[in-house]
Amino acid sequence: MPLLVKNGLVVNADSQRRADVFVEDETITRIEAAIDPAELPEGTEVIDATDRLVFPGFIDPHVHIHLPFMGTNAIDDHDSATRAALVGGTTTIIEMICPGPDDEPRTAFETWKGLAEDGANCDYSFHLSVVRFDALADRQIRELVAEHGVASFKIFLAYKGALDIADSNLIPLLELARELGVIVTAHCENAEAIDAMQRRLLAEGRTGPEWHEPSRPRSVEASGVNHLCTFAELTGAHVYIVHTSCEAALDQAIAARKRGVDVRVESVIPHLVLDDTCAERPGFEGAKYVMSPPLRDAREHEPLWRGIADRSISTIGTDHAPFNFGDQKTMGRDAFTAIPNGIPSIQERVDLVHTHGVDAGRIDLQTMVDACSTQAAKIFGLHPRKGVIAVGSDADLVIYDPSFEGTFDVADSLSKTDYSGYQGMRRKGRSETVILRGRTVVRAGRFVGEAGGGRYLPRTPSH
Ligand code: URP
Ligand code: ZN
Ligand code: ZN
């Protein structure tokens, strides 16, 4: 059914104006100051967006749903995580395919894609993580890029012996990425330094979740960023630092950019609104807040928000990595090193950015759209199909009520996790209506879409 979104303030990364948006089938076909509903085809649905913001569908460039990790598996499935995404205003996710060292890239791709095809309610694409790079991986990765539209890789410098890539493998992988025009996203923390620090702390009897941050301090992350950027400089590969948690790490990326390295920086919402005191909460509750890189001192928030405002940080993702408190986080009761790392945030991201960024006066609405949608689309080859309200783009629209007031509550969360890291925190704003390729999937903040309505987004390497 054709759809007219009338009287809203249409916000793109580079402009905002009062306009009506007309959608036919899956596509935006008109954007005009005023479109008269009387002249539209019979049956056109009209949504009144008076006093509402109209955003392009938000894109989360860093999501884990199927994640076999640290002796368990993340608790969401594609149905629960993508319902949560849509209710939170996110219409496209890019999930990390995270195989182990013995898994073949093609099998991993088929596994992750099969799960998403069965359950995803929003549109999706994948970053392919590479742990081991040999002749077989080289052949299969080339096929995945050429035939299946995989246009970004992921590497971990952290998680020794589990997900980390050896330097001897990193060089040829970056060379291949450069040859294919694929961008490489990277978790930058020095695995050996963390391993040594973890052993030392545990030997000293420092076993609680509050020791997670000291085991991987800011210097370890900054060193990881410098390491990755050095290798990018040597190979000419284009790289993207995921979940940058502190100014020291950001500075390394900015310094590399000044040397000519094509490096983009991502921040994720937990690092922008939570801090290391969360991991000190009594009764082992701190385990809920164990993620990597760790939550930092609250003094790191401002440099990160400034980086978003001045665009030295391109994107805000979530790093949604949902593990239950009751039976998963507690695996690390005797040693923080066994607490599955991750905080669920896929539903809360946009409202937290609106609350702590826009409403707090740290960023404006256009920067919010840029960081939460447009840049991800541009960097990862989805633009202008996604990430912008423009004629010819997919009709992914978020009609946002900026005056909504509330608090975050696990009872409202559609993720399967048994806790919310943002429980009781103030919330200003809500995705009231969400439209995915012309279909209304959220009304009055509730999921009303058809199950399995998401679509795979193959991409063309563009770097
Ligand atoms: O703590 C985190 N970030 N868990 C998910 C895996 C990763 O490092 O992204
Ligand atoms: Zn990571
Ligand atoms: Zn991650």
Side-chain angles (χ1 to χ4, degrees):
M1 181 178 27
L3 179 70
L4 178 67
V5 179
K6 204 159 171 50
N7 302 322
L9 182 70
V10 174
V11 186
N12 273 318
D14 57 359
S15 67
Q16 49 183 294
R17 65 171 173 137
R18 224 153 272 293
D20 297 348
V21 181
F22 183 55
V23 170
E24 289 167 287
D25 300 320
E26 301 197 340
T27 309
I28 297 168
T29 55
R30 291 169 66 185
I31 306 171
E32 290 160 31
I35 299 176
D36 181 358
E39 73 182 40
L40 296 176
E42 211 176 281
T44 298
E45 185 188 359
V46 181
I47 297 179
D48 182 12
T50 304
D51 295 330
R52 300 292 184 261
L53 307 168
V54 184
F55 292 130
F58 291 104
I59 301 172
D60 190 339
H62 187 162
V63 170
H64 302 273
I65 301 174
H66 178 54
L67 177 63
F69 184 48
M70 298 186 72
T72 185
N73 203 328
I75 194 72
D76 270 328
D77 53 32
H78 286 79
D79 180 42
S80 60
T82 57
R83 276 174 199 248
L86 286 168
V87 165
T90 296
T91 51
T92 298
I93 59 167
I94 311 183
E95 185 185 358
M96 304 282 175
I97 295 177
C98 286
D102 298 327
D103 301 329
E104 292 184 12
R106 187 171 39 216
T107 316
F109 176 77
E110 284 164 1
T111 301
W112 262 262
K113 184 148 180 278
L115 290 167
E117 275 167 357
D118 284 349
N121 303 301
C122 72
D123 287 357
Y124 56 94
S125 203
F126 299 105
H127 305 298
L128 175 69
S129 174
V130 182
V131 184
R132 186 172 39 91
F133 189 70
D134 53 17
L136 179 80
D138 181 278
R139 201 169 57 246
Q140 292 192 355
I141 290 169
R142 285 176 188 276
E143 275 171 27
L144 291 173
V145 172
E147 292 164 23
H148 297 275
V150 173
S152 45
F153 300 154
K154 170 76 187 288
I155 54 157
F156 292 90
L157 303 186
Y159 306 125
K160 181 172 153 65
L163 298 176
D164 63 324
I165 187 167
D167 283 352
S168 55
N169 284 202
L170 181 54
I171 291 269
L173 178 69
L174 290 175
E175 281 169 345
L176 176 65
R178 159 115 207 245
E179 178 195 327
L180 300 178
V182 164
I183 189 164
V184 179
T185 73
H187 176 138
C188 295
E189 289 180 297
N190 186 303
E192 293 296 340
I194 294 165
D195 187 56
M197 293 292 287
Q198 287 179 335
R199 285 171 196 275
R200 186 198 296 171
L201 287 163
L202 291 182
E204 290 167 354
R206 296 179 161 139
T207 59
E210 69 277 21
W211 295 104
H212 176 69
E213 199 279 340
S215 76
R216 41 212 313 154
R218 289 170 283 201
S219 55
V220 163
E221 186 181 343
S223 144
V225 172
N226 181 45
H227 190 87
L228 193 261
C229 288
T230 305
F231 279 50
E233 199 170 358
L234 294 173
T235 57
H238 294 195
V239 292
Y240 173 100
I241 317 287
V242 299
H243 50 39
T244 307
S245 75
C246 59
E247 189 173 22
L250 176 61
D251 285 348
Q252 290 294 335
I254 292 171
R257 206 177 285 151
K258 286 190 182 139
R259 301 197 300 273
V261 179
D262 188 335
V263 52
R264 318 292 171 95
V265 177
E266 172 195 88
S267 53
V268 294
I269 197 64
H271 292 135
L272 291 163
V273 303
L274 302 173
D275 63 63
D276 56 359
T277 60
C278 297
E280 294 166 7
R281 292 192 185 168
F284 198 63
E285 214 197 313
K288 294 176 179 172
Y289 298 94
V290 167
M291 68 172 290
S292 294
L295 298 178
R296 303 293 187 194
D297 188 294
R299 280 173 293 194
E300 297 293 344
H301 291 168
E302 288 314 321
L304 294 180
W305 281 110
R306 272 201 304 277
I308 294 161
D310 70 21
R311 317 268 170 126
S312 51
I313 294 176
S314 297
T315 56
I316 306 174
T318 55
D319 196 10
H320 180 75
F323 296 97
N324 271 340
F325 178 63
D327 56 349
Q328 293 185 299
K329 292 281 186 177
T330 44
M331 290 162 58
R333 264 204 191 279
D334 297 331
F336 68 85
T337 49
I339 300 169
N341 286 200
I343 301 178
S345 309
I346 201 166
Q347 186 169 331
E348 296 86 357
R349 172 184 67 138
V350 168
D351 297 330
L352 285 164
V353 172
H354 186 260
T355 307
H356 293 262
V358 176
D359 195 54
R362 287 160 158 153
I363 60 171
D364 60 21
L365 285 170
Q366 288 174 212
T367 305
M368 173 176 165
V369 168
D370 202 34
C372 297
S373 182
T374 311
Q375 283 301 321
K378 286 185 170 169
I379 293 169
F380 296 117
L382 293 168
H383 193 269
R385 180 173 174 191
K386 305 287 189 188
V388 61
I389 299 178
V391 171
S393 295
D394 278 2
D396 297 343
L397 301 170
V398 175
I399 299 164
Y400 198 80
D401 177 2
S403 62
F404 179 90
E405 302 254 10
T407 50
F408 292 99
D409 189 334
V410 65
D412 299 326
S413 168
L414 299 182
S415 166
K416 290 185 174 176
T417 332
D418 61 2
Y419 77 99
S420 165
Y422 309 99
Q423 185 69 26
M425 283 174 63
R426 177 174 164 266
R427 167 182 178 189
K428 183 83 191 289
R430 176 175 80 148
S431 298
E432 193 171 68
T433 305
V434 179
I435 294 157
L436 173 68
R437 282 181 280 101
R439 287 172 301 125
T440 302
V441 289
V442 172
R443 276 187 211 274
R446 305 227 160 265
F447 180 75
V448 295
E450 285 162 38
R455 188 178 287 167
Y456 175 58
L457 300 168
R459 295 172 288 132
T460 309
S462 54
H463 287 265

